[in-house]
């Protein structure tokens, strides 16, 4: 059956990136750890939380990206501060250690490979699960003693619409994100008596390097030209035909740190343009 693809996606975002933060948030005195902070969503989250007054520890394996982030944070008229920490999260012991003393943990680092299962390299499957599921477990494990000790903590896991739905050719990513959903809910149940909430944020496709890098692979896997990938593959199931901006995702993360969100735990906050309404 041929489906009507509907109108072509707008070439520019219909809602521009947020010019200014919209969620009222004061994180003065709070320490935050953001993983994967050198790029995309992690970078936007780190800057947003510095702008809210937090002391942000920005973790990534990319030193160059962290340096650029640090320079950008210095240009903010913000009360907070940023410290860059080069770390490859496949070093799980170091990851757990880095999380000690954190009030707010943003588990964001991730990677993607688009291949059919029978061609998917097992070592890449292992790395994806390590960075996107086992490292978050170890980071949560490292952060909880301090959070429990003070009776307050926020765990925010950057999941995806792929934590709630599968797509072909993304076995490792979909498996890791579904696992992250379970980890997040378990942390919510264990953390509740200690004032610690744990939630997932679940974007559809966000305008970041991770998405830009998969366009060629998606074209090859689906046998279509690259210029049709965004409309025909990425936005096929999204009711809103545009990519989400990293700043919009960071605003959802900021909301989960507000006092108003203190009763929200164990949930998955979808920013998916209606994808999971299907
Ligand atoms: P990105 O590629 O722009 O940034 C990911 C960052 O993670 C990079 O800076 C990278 O260096 C870092 N990273 C990867 N492996 C690492 C490791 N071993 N150790 C330390 N750092 C490592 O990607 P993004 O689009 O900003 O994605 C961020 C998160 O959001 C990911 O978890 C991703 O799955 C999720 N997400 C992204 C989208 C999207 O459309 N871009 C949609 C839904 C969910």
């Amino acid at each position: 059956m041929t489906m009507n693809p509907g109108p072509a996606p707008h070439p520019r975002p219909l809602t521009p990136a947020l010019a200014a933060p919209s969620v009222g948030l004061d994180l003065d005195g709070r320490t935050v750890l953001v993983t994967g902070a050198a790029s995309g969503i992690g970078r936007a989250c780190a800057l947003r939380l510095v702008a809210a007054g937090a002391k942000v520890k920005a973790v990534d394996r990319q030193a160059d990206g962290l340096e650029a982030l640090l320079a950008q944070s210095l240009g903010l008229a913000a009360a907070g501060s940023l410290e860059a920490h080069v770390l490859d999260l496949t070093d799980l012991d170091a990851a757990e250690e880095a999380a000690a003393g954190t009030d707010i943990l943003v588990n964001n680092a991730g990677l993607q490979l688009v291949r059919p299962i029978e061609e998917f390299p097992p070592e890449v499957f292992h790395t994806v699960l390590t960075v996107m599921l086992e490292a978050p477990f170890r980071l949560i494990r490292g952060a909880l003693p301090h959070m429990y000790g003070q009776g307050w903590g926020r765990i925010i896991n950057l999941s995806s619409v792929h934590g709630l739905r599968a797509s072909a050719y993304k076995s490792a990513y979909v498996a890791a994100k579904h696992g992250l959903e379970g980890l997040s809910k378990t942390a919510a149940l264990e953390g509740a008596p200690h004032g610690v909430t744990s939630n997932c944020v679940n974007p559809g496709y966000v305008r970041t390097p991770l998405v830009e890098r998969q366009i060629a692979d998606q074209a090859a896997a689906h046998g279509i030209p690259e210029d049709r990938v965004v409309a025909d593959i990425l936005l096929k199931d999204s009711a809103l035909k545009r990519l989400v901006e990293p700043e919009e995702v960071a605003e959802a993360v900021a909301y989960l740190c507000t006092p108003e969100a203190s009763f929200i735990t164990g949930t998955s906050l979808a920013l998916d343009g209606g994808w999971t309404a299907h």
Side-chain angles (χ1 to χ4, degrees):
M1 187 174 71
T2 314
M3 300 286 287
N4 178 354
H10 203 280
R12 305 279 305 164
L14 298 177
T15 302
L18 299 163
S22 57
V23 170
L25 180 64
D26 180 2
L27 292 181
D28 187 26
R30 295 288 187 202
T31 58
V32 177
L33 189 153
V34 181
T35 67
S39 176
I41 297 167
R43 186 174 147 281
C45 288
L47 292 171
R48 176 64 182 92
L49 298 176
V50 169
K55 192 174 166 200
V56 173
K57 189 180 201 178
V59 169
D60 207 291
R61 62 178 170 178
Q62 287 185 52
D64 291 358
L66 285 179
E67 264 177 47
L69 173 70
L70 183 58
Q72 201 175 352
S73 75
L74 294 173
L76 288 178
S81 62
L82 188 135
E83 173 196 316
H85 190 68
V86 179
L87 174 65
D88 190 320
L89 292 170
T90 56
D91 183 344
L92 295 168
D93 291 339
E96 182 168 333
E97 211 174 298
T102 300
D103 298 324
I104 298 169
L105 171 62
V106 183
N107 274 319
N108 166 79
L111 62 158
Q112 174 70 276
L113 181 70
V114 180
R115 289 277 191 292
I117 292 172
E118 67 277 20
E119 293 168 22
F120 206 100
E123 63 279 10
V124 177
F125 189 94
H126 177 72
T127 302
V128 170
L129 268 286
T130 303
V131 174
M132 291 170 55
L133 182 54
E134 200 167 353
F137 162 70
R138 295 293 294 271
L139 285 150
I140 292 171
R141 193 169 189 274
L144 284 183
H146 168 75
M147 292 180 178
Y148 284 3
Q150 68 181 3
W152 194 92
R154 296 286 174 266
I155 298 165
I156 298 162
N157 300 301
L158 252 301
S159 180
S160 164
V161 72
H162 286 113
L164 308 170
R165 297 286 186 276
S167 288
Y169 313 129
K170 295 189 171 181
S171 54
Y173 189 90
V174 169
K177 292 301 192 193
H178 275 65
L180 185 65
E181 295 280 325
L183 174 65
S184 182
K185 286 186 232 178
T186 305
L189 297 183
E190 294 185 18
H194 305 279
V196 174
T197 65
S198 173
N199 291 287
C200 286
V201 172
N202 300 59
Y205 283 98
V206 189
R207 190 188 307 279
T208 73
L210 183 139
V211 164
E212 283 154 18
R213 277 193 300 268
Q214 68 178 271
I215 287 180
D217 280 354
Q218 288 273 18
H222 291 273
I224 61 169
E226 287 187 24
D227 60 8
R228 281 185 38 208
V229 167
V230 173
D232 292 7
I233 306 295
L234 305 191
L235 298 178
K236 183 172 73 64
D237 294 316
S238 181
L240 297 175
K241 299 295 181 189
R242 69 170 175 91
L243 299 176
V244 191
E245 301 298 322
E247 291 77 12
E248 293 177 277
V249 181
E251 216 49 32
V253 170
Y255 170 67
L256 289 171
C257 299
T258 62
E260 292 78 8
S262 65
F263 201 63
I264 300 176
T265 196
T267 63
S268 302
L269 175 55
L271 280 81
D272 66 355
W275 183 330
T276 52
H278 286 283

